[in-house]
Amino acid sequence: MIEDKNPQRTSIAQLGEFGLIDHLTKNFEISQASTLKGIGDDAAVLDFKDKKVVVSTDIMVEGVHFDLAYMPLKHLGYKAVVSNVSDICAMNAKATQITVSVAVSNRFPLEAMEELFHGITLAANEYKVDVIGGDTTSSQKGLIISITVLGEADEEEIVYRNGAKSTDLLVVTGDIGAAYMGLQVLEREKQVFQVNPNSQPDLELYTYLIERQLKPEARKDVRTLLHALEIKPTSMIDISDGLSSEIIHLCKQSKVGCNLYEDKLPLDPQFINVCEEFDIDSTTVAINGGEDYELLFTIPIDDFDKIKGNPNFSIIGHMTEESEGIHLVTRANTKIPLKARGWNALSE
């Protein structure tokens, strides 16, 4: 919310497309043995030998997926990479390369793009992915970022959405709902700022929630944790659109039902406090809020003893026969049909 009144502004037009690409990509280094050729040719060259390749693409549009009133460009670049790496983690695979494409309007100077790519570089280093190409073009309105991520895994390691069995346990990593409440705090402070631009927000009480929204992390550690426990999930998905939506995806593709238990949901204390402050039901937010980038997966019931008590995981329910349906079991032991009320980018 604090704006530099005299920022340095270098017109992107001065560099031209290829000059801009050279300028923004000069700090990317190659770290993966499978990258034979990265940026600088008509196409990248990769060699995965006997590994299987997994690929995912995500796009982020200003005004739809992010608001630059409170999203710093460096954080945006970081988050754009994280959201893609998370998809690879959800396949029980290791992310190895990304391509980055950006459409930008003339309201953004070179310095703004440097901030964006600084965040991308930080994330690439943190997740050890090589930036191997992409594209830049102009935009009539605002900023658009599209990232494609590639990863590798042995065939027997890959986990799909359609492998859950009716006797499996439902497990989630970390805690959920915090990213959504972080967004609510930021939106509230934006409205205050618009009324009084001289007011400076005091966000100390919301640090964790805001970090979960502005600088989330992909759960690259889960693959290693599960391997050490000798557990292979039967199905898996990342929580980007909301827990309820992701559970329904797993159930539909695996042709099973589910009982999700309200009292088993892992909620951070700061999240609970802020839900009370906003007078919002914490369970509603936890199952419908998105962008947590935690992993949701199913495991055979025989693996219960391996995972129980592990601080990285929470068993939040169990799968059932498809005919039993998909339900939330409340603290009062009432069954409520679970609806997909998570994020929908195409909603009106």
Side-chain angles (χ1 to χ4, degrees), residues 7-15 20 23-24 68 73 102 104-117 143:
Q8 181 182 352
R9 293 179 62 88
T10 304
S11 171
I12 290 176
Q14 287 180 268
L15 283 77
L20 177 64
H23 182 83
L24 295 176
L68 292 178
L73 285 164
V102 177
V104 59
S105 73
N106 60 10
R107 91 172 201 265
F108 293 91
L110 174 63
E111 288 74 21
M113 290 298 96
E114 287 176 337
E115 277 293 292
L116 179 71
F117 272 75
L143 179 63

Side-chain angles (χ1 to χ4, degrees), residues 16-238:
E17 180 181 1
F18 297 111
L20 177 64
I21 292 170
D22 290 341
H23 182 83
L24 295 176
T25 61
K26 62 186 178 185
N27 295 322
F28 292 136
E29 298 178 353
I30 300 301
S31 63
Q32 295 290 335
S34 53
T35 306
L36 301 185
K37 177 65 177 179
I39 295 169
D41 221 302
D42 288 306
V45 181
L46 310 177
D47 180 10
F48 286 91
K49 296 183 171 64
D50 56 347
K51 297 279 188 179
K52 298 301 178 184
V53 181
V54 289
V55 184
S56 183
T57 297
D58 200 15
I59 190 167
M60 299 178 76
V61 179
E62 184 179 356
V64 177
H65 301 96
F66 59 89
D67 186 337
L68 292 178
Y70 48 74
M71 169 65 83
L73 285 164
K74 182 165 70 172
H75 288 68
L76 176 62
Y78 193 95
K79 184 174 182 177
V81 175
V82 164
S83 67
N84 282 271
V85 170
S86 183
D87 286 331
I88 302 302
C89 294
M91 301 294 293
N92 203 36
K94 180 181 77 171
T96 49
Q97 289 91 7
I98 58 172
T99 65
V100 180
S101 296
V102 177
V104 59
S105 73
N106 60 10
R107 91 172 201 265
F108 293 91
L110 174 63
E111 288 74 21
M113 290 298 96
E114 287 176 337
E115 277 293 292
L116 179 71
F117 272 75
H118 182 38
I120 292 170
T121 304
L122 287 174
N125 292 337
E126 171 66 25
Y127 291 95
K128 295 179 172 54
V129 293
D130 294 340
V131 183
I132 59 169
D135 195 16
T136 58
T137 189
S138 60
S139 166
Q140 292 296 316
K141 299 179 180 177
L143 179 63
I144 301 171
I145 308 168
S146 178
I147 291 182
T148 296
V149 58
L150 297 93
E152 65 177 29
D154 292 331
E155 186 170 9
E156 63 271 16
E157 294 178 312
I158 297 175
V159 177
Y160 301 95
R161 296 180 182 181
N162 63 357
K165 305 294 187 292
S166 60
T167 55
D168 285 350
L169 301 174
L170 183 66
V171 184
V172 70
T173 63
D175 59 82
I176 54 176
Y180 179 85
M181 287 312 298
L183 178 63
Q184 300 314 299
V185 171
L186 290 167
E187 284 286 349
R188 181 184 67 182
E189 296 306 322
K190 175 187 173 182
Q191 292 172 15
V192 171
F193 180 78
Q194 288 173 338
V195 173
N196 182 11
N198 293 319
S199 69
Q200 293 300 320
D202 182 3
L203 302 176
E204 189 174 343
L205 296 175
Y206 313 105
T207 305
Y208 178 67
L209 305 184
I210 290 172
E211 183 174 340
R212 291 282 279 177
Q213 172 59 218
L214 297 184
K215 190 178 177 290
E217 300 290 352
R219 295 305 303 262
K220 65 176 181 177
D221 58 323
V222 169
R223 183 169 178 256
T224 303
L225 289 169
L226 291 174
H227 182 76
L229 293 170
E230 298 182 341
I231 295 173
K232 182 189 175 183
T234 52
S235 68
M236 186 151 58
I237 191 170
D238 79 324

